[in-house]
Amino acid sequence: MKNSALKGALGALAVVGVALAAKKIGQRKRFMKGIFNEYGIKERSPFALADKIREMNDEQYQELKGKFKKEFSSRCCRKDNTAEA
């Protein structure tokens, strides 16, 4: 009886984990689609993005780089700087 309940709980946990991963993938896909649309990139490939980056000036590149850093930065293991003040 205990083993069956444990399997059910682990199964439910796995379903939640898959749902969260799918949600995150969808968010990142929408972000990339927005980047391609914003910069007028017709072909949806890393090579087309690289070609567009080569054409950019430094200011545009830094703006794009900031967007990528903000979207893809890791949210774990951040140091809290409020204690240092």
Side-chain angles (χ1 to χ4, degrees):
M1 187 74 150
K2 279 198 251 180
N3 202 11
S4 178
L6 181 62
K7 284 182 184 178
L10 289 176
L13 188 61
V15 169
V16 170
V18 169
L20 289 175
K23 180 181 174 187
K24 188 68 170 179
I25 290 169
Q27 289 173 344
R28 289 190 172 185
K29 227 176 180 180
R30 281 190 299 277
F31 170 76
M32 288 304 298
K33 188 175 181 180
I35 291 291
F36 286 131
N37 288 336
E38 182 179 344
Y39 289 98
I41 303 170
K42 302 290 183 216
E43 183 184 338
R44 307 278 195 238
S45 74
F47 302 110
L49 180 61
D51 288 341
K52 186 64 176 182
I53 289 173
R54 285 188 200 103
E55 296 171 2
M56 292 179 174
N57 60 28
D58 285 339
E59 183 180 318
Q60 291 173 327
Y61 175 68
Q62 291 303 325
E63 179 185 337
L64 179 65
K65 192 167 110 177
K67 288 178 184 178
F68 276 108
K69 274 188 174 183
K70 182 180 174 193
E71 178 67 24
F72 295 111
S73 68
S74 177
R75 287 167 184 83
C76 73
C77 308
R78 284 192 181 168
K79 292 183 179 180
D80 188 15
N81 294 333
T82 57
E84 295 176 7

